[in-house]
Amino acid sequence: MAQYNTNVPSFYRVEERDIVMPAESRLQVDLFDFQDTLGEAINGEKLIGSTVIDLEDRWHSAAWKDCMDRRQQVPTENRGLINPQLSGQNCGSIEMWVEMIDSVRASDIKASELRKPPAMEIEIRLVIRTCKNVKLWDGSKTDVKVTVDLECKEYEGVTMGFPKLQPTDVHLGSTGNAIFNWRIVYPRIVMPTKSCTMDLKLYQANFVSADEFIGAVSVDLRRYVERVARDMDMIYIEKADLQFTAGAAGEGEEGGDGADAAEEETVGSVQFEMWFMTQSEANQKRNGKGREDPNDFPQLVTPAEGRGWGDVLGGFSLSLPDLGLMKKVIPLILFTLLCLVLLRFVGLL
């Protein structure tokens, strides 16, 4: 039974043997580095370490029998591994237990159940509050949009309706600052994880053509999720800021003209809050994406700025010709036409 590319293998395997003591009272457990047939033929078996247990010593131990018989508890042992060829070096340890039952009672007593514990799952919640000093796209305003993309192979929240790529809504007509109050949710990150990175990208939103990239920033979250998995305590990051840079464009996006100066250009910042918690705790405080229900922890309110019809129409640059004196006459003409329509409607014309 081999496990690959790990130094913390989990076997959860039970072996049963009939023995006669004291002739068969020595139990040796060896841990080997797995090699294929050719490698084993060339190099031989590569021993990592061994541990030896004196079964007769266990059988005659009053403390061990007290745990097994009276308390009905199996004493777990954490045993160090020793390699004679690596004297004085730490070769790891193995967690195990040994049960011994008299052959007369063996048919009546089943072996203790050895079950792998459920996988630890972590949920990440990000609330994007505001963006500041956003680069003006056409010289006077920007329709600001932010996308968040989670890079984590152990993420399994897609099946729950939480995709890896989650965009905010659009703040229309921003003159540099934008308000979102938008929640990003990533449930079911299965631990342990080899990598957990969050990419935030800033865009000029377009309703007809594709959004235009402005800048990006990446955050490594692995140490936070590992800490929560280890300590089982929630981590809260309160109103922190990240800087968007123009040179951090993703593949297929243009982040400037390629010059070194452009790579360092700051094109805005984002203020956010972030929570890391175990999935069991998150299930007691459920939240939806964006501002969807359930909308608690915290409750998010749709901003008034950048969402009105005036902001929508402001995106269309319409200019009327200079009508001169007609500007004063047009209202009178329209009023007269309205009166004629009303008179016609009541039958006076």
Side-chain angles (χ1 to χ4, degrees), residues 6 41 51 79 88 92 103 105 108 125 150 158 163 180 195 215 228 233-234 241 266 281 294 328 347:
T6 179
T51 184
R79 304 187 59 83
S103 58
R105 303 164 54 206
D108 299 328
R125 295 178 183 175
L150 183 69
V158 176
F180 290 101
S195 175
V228 172
D233 291 328
M234 182 182 71
D241 292 283
T266 300
E281 182 178 359
K328 299 180 180 180

Side-chain angles (χ1 to χ4, degrees), residues 111-130:
S112 298
E113 184 178 7
L114 181 59
R115 181 188 305 169
K116 188 174 182 178
M120 169 63 68
E121 295 182 348
I122 305 297
E123 178 165 312
I124 299 175
R125 295 178 183 175
L126 169 72
V127 172
I128 298 176
R129 290 295 186 181
T130 61

